[in-house]
Amino acid sequence: MGDSYVTDIAEHPACEVLLAAWQNPDADRKRALVRDIEVPGPIALRSRYRMLLDTEAPSGPWNPDLTAEVWVRQLRLETEGDNAVRSGAHPAALASFRALLEEETGSEPRLPTVHARIGLGHIAMEQDRIEAASEHFEQATAVAATSAYRFGRLRALVPWAYMTL
């Protein structure tokens, strides 16, 4: 299960199922919709999958203003940014994660902000800008906590802890 995903994320078989579950207001129904699908490899989908299965996540509705078009745009920006970080293309990664921050509507859960801050933290960490990386990971952790997004909180805490060791 690798994080790099070079095909259009909107064509991934789990994309539509995850969106349907995301938009369902009932927590049990959310989990039921995704329980039997294979864990998605791409981190942009896997992170949402993990939140949908989290029994401590709020019931919903989640991001009521979220359209299928916005969902796909956010997934694409995350995937492009993550792939660019892995390949060392920091300017492209920076552009993707800044654009992802612009996608934030303020409705809960605030995954675009969490994922953008994690990505920006990785870029700063790779550029040996430790204080900037720490600030991004701290912001990602705080937003994930207020969004009850435990998987996102862990995704921010692991590199932050690694970096500080």
Side-chain angles (χ1 to χ4, degrees), residues 3-66:
D3 287 346
S4 289
Y5 196 76
V6 294
T7 307
D8 184 1
I9 196 84
E11 296 174 10
H12 190 283
C15 190
E16 288 183 36
V17 174
L18 293 174
L19 176 58
W22 199 266
Q23 293 177 327
N24 196 296
D26 179 74
D28 291 332
R29 184 71 183 133
K30 283 179 188 299
R31 286 189 290 280
L33 286 167
V34 299
R35 188 171 290 126
D36 294 328
I37 68 170
E38 188 174 325
V39 179
I43 190 63
L45 294 174
R46 191 169 65 244
S47 59
R48 286 160 175 81
Y49 171 86
R50 293 290 178 209
M51 184 160 185
L52 285 162
L53 289 178
D54 187 350
T55 57
E56 293 188 30
S59 56
W62 293 352
N63 307 112
D65 53 344
L66 186 70

Side-chain angles (χ1 to χ4, degrees), residues 97-162:
F97 291 126
R98 284 182 176 160
L100 185 58
L101 277 176
E102 295 296 318
E103 290 288 316
E104 184 60 66
T105 64
S107 68
E108 296 291 338
R110 295 177 52 208
L111 271 66
T113 295
V114 173
H115 294 167
R117 292 291 175 193
I118 290 169
L120 292 168
H122 281 292
I123 295 166
M125 190 169 72
E126 288 184 11
Q127 295 174 338
D128 207 27
R129 295 183 301 112
I130 302 306
E131 289 304 314
S134 181
E135 288 175 23
H136 287 299
F137 292 134
E138 182 176 17
Q139 290 173 357
T141 302
V143 173
T146 61
S147 293
Y149 178 34
R150 293 188 317 159
F151 185 75
R153 191 165 179 263
L154 288 173
R155 281 193 61 211
L157 286 171
V158 168
W160 193 13
Y162 173 79

